[in-house]
Amino acid sequence: MTPGSVVLLHAPGAAAASWGDMPEMLRSYGMDVIAPDVPDGAGARYVARVSLIISAAGPSVPLVLAAHGAAGPLVPAIALAQRAAHRPVGGYVFVDADLPRPPGAAHDHESLPGPPDWPEAPCGYLRTHADRAAFPDRDGTVREARLRGWAVVEHEPPSAAAQAFSELITTL
C-alpha cells in the first residue's frame, strides 16, 4: 500500500524519542511521518491526546498507525477516533508491540471501545533484532501475529529497521 501519513505511536509512559532514528529514516524514504509525543497519558487519555495531535498535524490519508510496545492494545480505539474524524486507516504495523485483544478479553490496559470490525485494514508485525535480543519471550506474540494471518517481518542487521518497516508497509 501507499500510505498518506505514517503515525508512530510510542508506548504510554514513554516518549516519541523511544522510536530513535526511525522517524527520520522513514522520512528519508519519502514517507510523511507523524510521531506524536504524548506525555503522561495512558488508556483513554492517551487515545484522546494522540487523536488531537494527529488532527493538528493535518495528516494525509490513508493513515498507517504504527504502535510500539504497550501502545499496541490501544490501536483499535485510536483507529475508531480516526474513523470518527473521517481519516481512514489503510493499515496497521506493530513494532515489537503487544497485540490488541478482542473485546472483553483480559489484558493489562483499561478496556477501550474499538471498531467492531477491527481490523478493517491489513496488519503487519515487525520484530526488530534489538527486541529479539532483549525480550526473547515475545516469540509468542510473533507467533500470534502469524496465526492472525498478518505479514510478519523479523529484522536482521545490517539492514536498518526503518528499511524493514518501509518494506512491510508496501506489503499491506
Side-chain angles (χ1 to χ4, degrees), residues 49-113:
R49 288 183 176 181
V50 161
S51 297
L52 289 171
I53 294 168
I54 293 170
S55 180
S60 301
V61 293
L63 300 177
V64 170
L65 298 180
H68 185 261
L74 301 174
V75 166
I78 295 166
L80 181 61
Q82 297 315 300
R83 288 168 66 177
H86 305 287
R87 285 187 290 272
V89 177
Y92 302 95
V93 177
F94 295 83
V95 181
D96 302 332
D98 302 330
L99 299 181
R101 298 285 163 228
H107 51 74
D108 296 335
H109 305 283
E110 70 180 86
S111 212
L112 297 171

Side-chain angles (χ1 to χ4, degrees), residues 31 161 168:
M31 294 185 173
L168 179 57

Side-chain angles (χ1 to χ4, degrees), residues 126-129 132 153-161 164:
L126 173 61
R127 175 96 187 265
T128 66
H129 180 74
R132 213 169 23 259
V153 173
E154 298 207 40
H155 163 249
E156 288 295 335
S159 71

